[in-house]
Amino acid sequence: MPDFIYLASQSPRRRQLLEQLGVRHSLLLPNEGDDQEEDAEAIEAVLPGELPLDYVERVTGLKLDAAVARLERRGLAQAPILCSDTTVALGRKIYGKPDDAADAKRMLGELSGNEHRVLTAVALQVGNKRVTALSESRVKFAVMTEAQIDAYVASGEPMGKAGAYGIQGPVAQYVSNLNGSYTGIMGLPLYETAQLLRAAGVITI
């Protein structure tokens, strides 16, 4: 077993969380040169009538498929590949990354005063074998005023984040209740991830 894994994610939070486990890793990311055929937006597009759980598991699988192909295309050393995806859901409605500031304000306005789910799927490819896990958490937001939402969006933090917020940032002051995995809400549930890595022999204790 190699003494490192590949992390197929551009999220600095996922890298930080993986470092908490003490797992050596190398990023396996697309680049403009030899990965032009990869379409991240198409991968993350929601299918008609798709449920949040089905969505996050499907997208994670597609992202891992792309990473496996990327590894083979580049002729890199073989090692396990870890991939993860997070989505926010209010009922059956999926909240992905906001398109712009106005979209972020809309999302936060709808989440304000409500409890929503945060679903994070994790997948690990080891050779021809793939193992997966899912983390589901519930987050309750207090009512946010329009001025509070505007100020948070103006900070720029909501952009690039599912549901238009990062739990580790200033928005935490509006979280009145949290039930589940804090690291899962951040984007990489460490308990579930460690279980997969342990089963694969990456973590030995």
Side-chain angles (χ1 to χ4, degrees):
M1 174 65 65
D3 61 353
F4 76 101
I5 69 169
Y6 291 106
L7 175 62
S9 174
Q10 302 196 45
S11 166
R13 293 168 301 282
R14 290 195 177 106
R15 186 170 191 177
Q16 174 191 355
L17 289 167
L18 192 57
E19 287 171 352
Q20 280 187 236
L21 293 179
V23 175
R24 289 187 62 241
H25 61 278
S26 177
L27 296 181
L28 181 59
L29 305 176
N31 59 49
E32 295 181 358
D34 50 344
D35 301 310
Q36 292 181 352
E37 69 276 17
E38 293 189 24
D39 189 343
E41 288 188 9
I43 287 176
E44 295 183 357
V46 181
L47 301 178
E50 192 169 27
L51 296 175
L53 176 59
D54 296 332
Y55 168 79
V56 75
E57 291 184 331
R58 179 180 63 83
V59 170
T60 301
L62 291 175
K63 286 184 175 181
L64 187 51
D65 289 342
V68 170
R70 199 179 303 145
L71 181 76
E72 296 300 325
R73 191 163 57 243
R74 296 177 185 173
L76 299 174
Q78 293 294 316
I81 305 172
L82 181 70
C83 191
S84 182
D85 189 70
T86 300
T87 197
V88 167
L90 185 60
R92 296 166 63 100
K93 189 172 184 180
I94 295 171
Y95 291 75
K97 300 169 185 173
D99 297 328
D100 50 32
D103 197 30
K105 290 179 183 179
R106 175 192 63 81
M107 290 185 187
L108 291 166
E110 293 177 7
L111 295 177
S112 171
N114 290 309
E115 182 182 74
H116 62 269
R117 290 180 295 153
V118 181
L119 303 166
T120 297
V122 186
L124 180 71
Q125 187 84 22
V126 185
N128 294 323
K129 183 180 180 182
R130 179 172 299 190
V131 288
T132 63
L134 177 75
S135 168
E136 178 172 345
S137 301
R138 293 185 178 273
V139 178
K140 174 70 182 294
F141 275 4
V143 174
M144 300 171 67
T145 66
E146 186 174 345
Q148 288 169 336
I149 291 175
D150 288 346
Y152 181 58
V153 173
S155 74
E157 188 176 83
M159 306 313 297
K161 296 180 176 67
Y165 77 90
I167 192 71
Q168 72 281 4
V171 81
Q173 66 190 294
Y174 305 114
V175 175
S176 61
N177 190 58
L178 185 159
N179 186 2
S181 169
Y182 185 81
T183 55
I185 297 168
M186 283 183 68
L188 189 68
L190 291 188
Y191 175 76
E192 289 82 356
T193 301
Q195 293 291 93
L196 295 183
L197 294 173
R198 194 169 285 115
V202 176
I203 294 177
T204 56
I205 57 173

